Amino acid sequence: MKVWSEVKEEFEADGSLRDIYVEEIDPALWEVFIEGVRSSAYRHEFTHGGASIEIPYGLMEIKRLQEKDPTTLIIWLSDKVQVNCHFFIETEIELDISPRDIVGEHEYQVLIAFLKWVSSILKERVILTHENTQDQVILSVG
């Protein structure tokens, strides 16, 4: 795993986000992810049309909600670091994080712990990239 000094320039605020991907999955792994978040120690909030509601139990239920209004799952890795999941497609988990949240070694370690946690519950590779550039991998876990 890369140390903070090797990657800190990747988190310089440039107006774009950083993306976290778990690629080539199916709805069953989405359900493992959703249940993992629900039962984890991570504070989280699920919104539908801007209102907070209980996180649904499966991707198909979330997709039905999205027919009316957008949904977002916000996961706080710490008081200052959050990732957002928008449930774009069934075959890929994509979360985004603001590079402004990763300002030092501590926040970086919090992010690394989350990437490792996601990889461990899904038993899949997790990558961190620049926004919308899955081929520009900053970090890979699993």
Side-chain angles (χ1 to χ4, degrees), residues 33-45 73-79 81 83 110 113-114 117-118 121:
F33 173 74
I34 293 166
E35 183 54 35
V37 170
R38 180 193 316 279
S39 62
S40 76
Y42 290 113
R43 186 168 54 99
H44 62 276
E45 177 184 12
L73 173 60
I74 304 160
I75 306 165
W76 284 273
L77 310 186
S78 71
D79 288 341
V81 180
V83 294
V110 166
F114 177 73
W117 175 79
V118 172
I121 66 164

Side-chain angles (χ1 to χ4, degrees), residues 2-8 11 102-105 108-109:
K2 294 179 182 177
V3 297
W4 172 243
S5 61
E6 294 176 303
V7 297
K8 67 181 181 180
F11 293 97
I102 310 300
V103 296
E105 176 76 27
Y108 177 65
Q109 291 304 321

Side-chain angles (χ1 to χ4, degrees), residues 65-127:
L65 290 172
Q66 288 177 333
E67 291 173 6
K68 292 184 180 182
D69 286 303
T71 61
T72 304
L73 173 60
I74 304 160
I75 306 165
W76 284 273
L77 310 186
S78 71
D79 288 341
K80 297 179 182 177
V81 180
Q82 78 176 55
V83 294
N84 304 297
C85 183
H86 304 284
F87 306 92
F88 293 127
I89 60 176
E90 292 178 20
T91 58
E92 172 180 276
I93 295 173
E94 178 183 343
L95 303 107
D96 60 47
I97 185 168
S98 172
R100 288 187 174 101
D101 288 356
I102 310 300
V103 296
E105 176 76 27
H106 174 74
E107 293 81 8
Y108 177 65
Q109 291 304 321
V110 166
L111 174 60
I112 294 298
F114 177 73
L115 299 177
K116 288 179 177 180
W117 175 79
V118 172
S119 179
S120 72
I121 66 164
L122 299 179
K123 310 222 181 329
E124 295 285 337
R125 178 176 174 246
V126 178
I127 60 173

